[in-house]
Amino acid sequence: MYKLISPDVLVSLSMERRNFLRTTGALGTGGLIALAGCADDAEDDADPDAFPTDDLTWMIPWGEGGGTDTYARQLQGTFEEEIGASVTIDNREGAGSMVGTEWLTTRDADGYTLGTVNSAGAHFTWRAAEIDDWHIEEDLEPVAYSGVFGYTIIVNNDVADEHGIDDFASLRDAYQDEDIETFGYQGAGSDSHLLMLLLRDGYDMAYNNGVPYDGGGPTMEAVISGEVSAGFATNTSAVNAEESGEATAIVNTMDIDLSDTWPDIDRIDNYGDSLGWLSEFTLTQHVPVGTPTEVKEQLSAAIEVAANSDSVQEWSEDTGNIVQYGDMEEAEDLWFGIVDEMEEQVEAAIDGGFDGFLALAEEEG
Amino acid sequence: MTVATFIGAILALLTLETMFWLLAGVLVGIIVGGLPGLGPPLGMAIILPLTIPLNAADAIILLVGVYSGSMYGGSIAAILINTPGVSSSAATMFDGYPMSKQGKAATALSISATASAFAGLFTIAALILFSPVLIQMVLAVGTPERFLVALLGLSMITVITRGSFAKGLLAGAAGLLVTTVGSAQPIAIDRRYAESLLLYDGIDFVAVLIGLFAIAEMMKLAGQEGGIAEGDVVIDRAGIKDGIVETVRRPVTVFKSGMIGMIVGAIPGAGATVSNFVAYSEAVRASPDPDTFGSGNPVGVVASEASNNGTVAGSLVPAISFGIPGSSSTAVLIGGLLMHGLQPGPSMFQVEGELGLTYTMLLALLVGNVVILIFGLSAVTRLGYLTKIDTDYIIPIVIVLSFLGTYALRINPIDIVTIIVFGIIGFYMVRYNYSVIAFVLGVVLGDIAESNLYTALQISGGTYDIFYNPFAYGRPLSFVLTVTILLLLFGPLVKGQLNRLRGE
């Protein structure tokens, strides 16, 4: 039917786990003592003025060591200092982030549980999974965003040298002339699959053979090794690809400017409309619907301080990860109405709209 | 200059603080690895945020220490209670646990420590010496080769199956069937049942392993009086010495298994679990007495334990040279590198880049293996006494640990159902002589085989010559692997025919 694979995944990890269980599993009775403490704090938890009186849980719907997880762990220390409470990162991986996101929608709306869910990747995945039990926009409330990432196109260096590929025009020409044939993407039915189809139909990137891989890591590996000529990599992974000396990032498919990292990188919007609605993701922090506004503002302010801290900014400069704070209003702008917009965009690009795309993905699979 | 960099790395390692983090990492790893379900990725993930205040070298050393320690630690539960502490210790159970039942737990644990340490030592040394070759090898292994490695593992069913061959094949096929639940990764086919998101990623194979071995064995033990060991349990120097001797007198098995671990570990997506089974199967194939495997043959423990620690060295190659996460463990390691401002890439192997840090990390792993040897022989072997404890106490403890460890895998209630169901299946498979090992091979390799088969055929446009024609796609390794598989499958048949013809 479809795939739930997000570009976020620097890695595809098969491990979802909860720090609470780790410690209680290892330490036994300590967990019971902690639970007893939680019961005492129940009344305070309901009072936004007293927030926070207990530890917080920061849910990440991806595995440890992945892009979203790394961002959260970078922010964690300063965020804890600002909010005045200990914060546990809780990785709940599964179903392309939908398992953790669904879990977040079921938590108490008291501010003690927040999570990072990425717009618009989560919107795409939610729509592709045809989830009816909860709504990606109606059951979560954004409080801030803290970073941006998205797709670039990387090309194998030997291929680039042989065919003189250094921007989108030369890549497009190489495909049209059948000098090269293969393009790697991150699984049939994924957002990268749709993005590839849009590049073919709207931007004349006439590849002969789109090759699906099991996530971002394998796609990058395939380009590096020359198994496919070119493919998608997130801007963070593309730094790794370039460091390998075997591949080069040549096209930025996002709206955000990447010239600090790659001064010469081409932009897809030089060749047509922006594709940022599909290819760019914001790391948005959410709480369950009904969380008091004062609490959301506190959380947002703490995220702002953490994102702008020297240590995080230094990490950003060192690694190419884009750290960028957006307040509650800006986060809401990037969160609400996205599903409808996505439906309209896909409707305009693909026969049968989103359902047509899913049927096409299933047919190709 | 490389020599100067190497000496600098030695000096960097030999500081009190760095050695402390190394020791702490290995010991934490052994404990985490010894607990069912809690493998190296989880141990490393727990440690990851704690490394933030450390300098980059100490942080990475702590992480790889946990990685290496937990690879060894997984054997403890495998040998003592028939539960894979980590999935890469699954094959250790096949002969390690029968040794425990025979009262030879100390010997089995001693073999595990010695084989793990020796294989760890020489594979890390090989990595230091031959890293440029290994880096090139990683690039030569692509999607078709990964499928063929999985197929090679599956074809080992013919080698390791004892008794009815048809039952072995049936068990292997049933194992493959388990992997069809959920979605096949690169393909847009959804095979969930009841549209549950919890089944989207399929059935976790570690939960299957814990069910098949730990739960099934506890069901069996419930009808047994006394401890796990059926005879006297002797924990003395002689038993430990026996373990060392059993390992040392099999240098070929240690070397071969360690190299299998290293090479398969360097293949992203294959990893320690696959190498574990391949090395074990190869030991069975090469043995003059294959029928003794599965009933306490020490060679089985040597092969399995040498391979999983060899995998550590191999898996570091794609991780630090290309930033390719070949496994969950190395994915967390890459996260650690990035967290400390280090960018994986060839610069990690270049003098003008981070070669000094890479050398320090590899030397730390060398020393870590010495720690494993000393700690394993002196302290862990004492745990053999656990096999004397009455099963009335052991069974509930193992069951609780299995449930907790399994739930901690993904915080997914489906995994709890999985261990119960596969516990029952495992119990009856043993009772009716169906090969559990063949079943496990199917479960472990099914996903790898399916996704890579699909992608390889997509690359070739649907033609199968990508797997055997060395000229069409410039993939000589595919050809070699295909020939190996054919030899493995049909070699004994051809040999038998030839012998018969000669006889006539």
Side-chain angles (χ1 to χ4, degrees), chain A residues 154-158 220 223-224 238 241-249:
Chain A
I154 58 172
V155 181
N156 178 275
N157 280 351
D158 290 340
M220 183 179 83
V223 177
I224 285 174
E242 287 222 345
E243 283 288 325
S244 76
E246 306 287 344
T248 305

Side-chain angles (χ1 to χ4, degrees), chain A residues 1-4 11 13 15-18 21-22 74 94-95 188 209-210 212 214 221 227 240 243-244 361 364, chain B residues 41-42 143 146 183 185-189 192 200-201 324-325 331 339 343 346 408-411 454-455 458-459:
Chain A
M1 251 162 58
Y2 49 79
K3 285 302 302 172
L4 306 184
V11 290
L13 305 180
M15 45 182 187
E16 297 164 20
R17 43 196 70 94
R18 185 179 174 193
L21 189 96
R22 288 176 194 142
Q74 286 295 327
N209 191 359
D214 182 5
E221 184 197 346
E227 188 169 283
N240 287 345
E243 283 288 325
S244 76
E364 288 187 359
Chain B
L42 180 55
T143 304
R146 269 196 286 277
S183 64
Q185 273 303 326
I187 311 168
I189 296 174
R192 279 176 292 168
Y200 189 86
D201 297 317
I324 296 168
M339 192 175 271
Q343 198 70 50
L409 286 170
R410 305 186 297 174
I411 318 293
Y454 178 82
T455 301
Q458 189 72 28
I459 292 168

